Amino acid sequence: MTLIVALDPPLEEDPIKWSIGIIEKTREYVSGFKIGLPMLLRTGVDAVKQLTAATGGSSVIADLKLADIGFVMSLSAAALARAGVRGVIAHSFVGVRDALDALKRTCEREGMDLILVVAMSHRGAEEVMTPVVDKLLGIAKEVAPWGVVLPATKPRLIQRGRRILGEHIKILAPGVGAQGARPGSALCAGADYEIVGRAITRAPDPADAVLRIRKEQMEVVKTC
Ligand code: XMP
């Protein structure tokens, strides 16, 4: 399966109840779920155990976009691992030495997947990140994480990432749906997974939205 659901609960909802509701409706059709800092700030890491339990085998990755010294990023990653979180997202721009090298060791020790952000979809990404994308891809190549994040809204960056990183590093692509990219378009460019949030979680029927997105992914992939 090639779909990961981003769980970003609305402020007026109970974040755990809301998330479990979406997980129960969609878990059989998706690879996993992505949680973020807004949820973790509201619930604390211990409550995340309820989410990891509810997924019934799908994986939960924590999108904290860590960007600190290795020692501190490792503390965050280890706390998440102990709540059953399978993967953690960090920024690549902090560099390898005393930063991502230490985080990688921690992830290996905790049995966790490390995922690095190398490009982003928002307009501000053009100010710093996109102009140095090759440098960030170089850092990712050196760290050799489980996966990287490249935006579905910039398929040429996905193609470039795939060329530079080779076949063994997974590419996760957010930006499908609410941010405009078509389901399947990032897969065509070389991504392994598309990350979709609001187009599923804010749909009147999230399970139906997942099935429609999967169908469109399959149709688009046939044409690429
Ligand atoms: P939506 O609701 O827009 O949610 O489908 C997308 C999810 O993905 C994250 N996101 C990004 N993460 N680079 C990233 O590392 C990006 O370009 C990017 N765009 C969206 C966002 O945090 C949300 O959870």
Side-chain angles (χ1 to χ4, degrees), residues 145-210:
W146 177 81
V148 299
V149 180
L150 283 160
T153 49
K154 298 175 182 172
R156 286 167 62 176
L157 293 186
I158 296 177
Q159 289 164 347
R160 188 159 187 80
R162 179 56 76 212
R163 251 198 325 276
I164 290 174
L165 298 173
E167 294 299 319
H168 297 300
I169 295 179
K170 305 286 182 203
I171 296 179
L172 288 67
V176 170
Q179 291 186 68
R182 187 174 179 203
S185 60
L187 300 176
C188 274
D192 297 281
Y193 301 97
E194 292 182 338
I195 298 174
V196 182
R198 288 162 289 177
I200 293 170
T201 62
R202 309 294 164 98
D205 181 344
D208 179 62
V210 164

Side-chain angles (χ1 to χ4, degrees), residues 6-8 34 63 65 89 117 119-122 149 151 174-179 195-199:
L7 297 170
D8 295 306
K34 182 177 88 65
D63 185 2
K65 295 194 174 67
I89 299 182
V117 178
M120 295 188 73
S121 54
H122 64 294
V149 180
V176 170
Q179 291 186 68
I195 298 174
V196 182
R198 288 162 289 177

Side-chain angles (χ1 to χ4, degrees), residues 2 5 16 32 40 118 159 163 187:
T2 50
V5 181
I16 295 294
L40 275 162
V118 290
Q159 289 164 347
R163 251 198 325 276
L187 300 176

Side-chain angles (χ1 to χ4, degrees), residues 53-85:
T55 62
S58 314
S59 62
V60 173
I61 57 179
D63 185 2
L64 299 193
K65 295 194 174 67
L66 298 172
D68 211 319
I69 58 170
F71 169 71
V72 174
M73 292 194 290
S74 293
L75 288 175
S76 299
L80 290 164
R82 285 156 207 200
V85 172

